[in-house]
Amino acid sequence: QVQLVESGGGLVQAGGSLRLSCAASGRIYSISSMGWYRQAPGKQRELVAAIASGGSTNYADSVKGRFTISRDNAKNTVYLQMASLRPEDTAVYYCNRVFCNGNPTCDYWGQGTQVTVSA
């Protein structure tokens, strides 16, 4: 059974930090490149950070230098350390396989975790 459970969101002031966690069950996640996505109100979901099973990472320009993605394959958990948060980072954050980026055949998503950054 595949399951993704995101946690760690909350309300933070601009300039603050948060650490998100994503617990993934299902072997497919341990062998896949994983990503953190976000969806702000009225906007499409976007991939902001990705990490391959071997640990190489990529970031969207909007978060580069502020966010750090990591994973613990033994725990099947993916993390997103967010620093220097801005109001425009406010969104619901989800984790999923990078395969799911813009892929309509990928229809399972967790509940997400809300991040709200106040000015």
Side-chain angles (χ1 to χ4, degrees):
Q1 181 181 356
V2 296
Q3 190 176 25
L4 295 165
V5 180
E6 299 92 346
S7 62
L11 173 63
V12 64
Q13 288 187 330
S17 300
L18 282 174
R19 188 194 195 207
L20 307 184
S21 298
C22 170
S25 59
R27 185 175 182 274
I28 191 170
Y29 297 115
S30 66
I31 61 174
S32 298
S33 293
M34 294 295 292
W36 279 97
Y37 299 76
R38 69 185 181 188
Q39 186 167 23
K43 295 187 177 181
Q44 287 192 334
R45 185 152 39 202
E46 61 171 339
L47 177 65
V48 297
I51 185 166
S53 57
S56 60
T57 59
N58 277 292
Y59 300 92
D61 288 344
S62 58
V63 307
K64 199 171 293 183
R66 301 187 298 121
F67 290 10
T68 303
I69 188 171
S70 60
R71 66 190 295 167
D72 184 334
N73 290 333
K75 294 182 179 179
N76 255 13
T77 302
V78 183
Y79 304 98
L80 186 68
Q81 180 69 49
M82 306 186 294
S84 302
L85 283 162
R86 304 168 181 169
E88 53 264 39
D89 295 318
T90 294
V92 179
Y93 283 72
Y94 304 86
C95 70
N96 213 327
R97 294 176 291 156
V98 171
F99 170 82
C100 294
N101 188 27
N103 188 340
T105 67
C106 184
D107 57 4
Y108 173 74
W109 292 83
Q111 85 288 349
T113 186
Q114 175 72 49
V115 172
T116 303
V117 185
S118 62

